[in-house]
Amino acid sequence: MSKKTHQQQLAQRKAQRQAERDAERRRQRRMLTATITAIVAVVVVIVGLFVVLGNNGKDTPAAGNTPSPSSTAPSAPGPENKPKSIPTALAAAPKRTTPLASEVDCSYKKSAEPASKPVNAPANGKVKASGTSKVTLGTSIGDLHLNLDSALAPCTVKSFLNLVGQKYFDNTKCHRLTVGAGLQVLQCGDPSGSGSGGPGYSFADEVYPQLKYGRGILAMANAGPNTNGSQFFIVYGDASALTPAYTAFGTVDEAGLKAIDKVANAGVVPSPQGGPTDGAPYIPVEIKSATAAA
C-alpha cells in the first residue's frame, strides 16, 4: 500500500468518525428537546389545574366574582346553561316580625378598594325607618320598577337613593345571571362589570332571622358580613339556597320580572369559574338610567 493510499484511508476513517459523532450529538439534542417539551407540557397542565381548582368559592352565592364577557362572541348557551323551570308566583313582600325603632343610626365606612365610578358616600346619621321610595331602572330589556322599603332596611335605601341621585348606576351592565335550582337571580350594580367593584364605601347588614327570598325580592349582594356596597340582585325565580344573610330592601314589579324571565330563558354565557348555571347573561342587560320618583 502506498503512502498516499494509506493517508486517504486514514482521512476517510476520520471523516466517518466525525460524521458518527455529529449524528450522535444531533440525536441527543433531539432527545433533550423532546424531554423539555414534555416537561413544559406537564407544567402547563399542573398550572391549569391549580388555576381552576384553586379558585373555588371564597365568595358568597349572591356576590361571587363573575368574569366579564370576552370581546369575542360567546358561544350560544346549551340546555345546561338555561333554567329548567322558573317559579312564576310572586313572593310575599318581606316584612320584619319586630319593627325597627322610628329612627336608626346609619354609618358608611370608606372601603380599602377605590370606587369603580366616582361617587360620594351618604352622610352618617339618623334615618327614618318608615316609608317607601320608587326607583325606575331604564334598561335595555325595558323599565324595571323598584319599590324600596325603609321599614325593612333604612340605611340600605338611603345608600341606594344616594347612588341613584349621583347617576352611579347609569350606563352599567348587570354582570351576573344565575339559572340553577335554588338560585335564580340577576345581579347588577358594579360599573366595572367585573363582579368585584363597588362605590368605595361599605355599610352594615340589615337582616333578620325570618327573612326569606323569592320571586320579586330586591336585595343587596355582599362578599361577607357587613360588606354591602352598590351591588344588588333581583330574585326572578327560586332562591331557596339563600340564607338570610343578604339585606332585602324592596321589590320589583311583575312586568320587569317577565322581562328578566326572557333573559334567563336565553341562558348564561358558559364560564369555567362560574359553572354552567352562573355567568354573564347571554342577552346583555344594560342599565341606561336610574331615576327616583320626586
Side-chain angles (χ1 to χ4, degrees), residues 227-251:
T227 58
N228 301 289
S230 60
Q231 292 192 43
F232 62 94
F233 63 92
I234 297 169
V235 181
Y236 67 87
D238 182 12
S240 56
L242 294 181
T243 59
Y246 309 94
T247 300
F249 63 105
T251 56

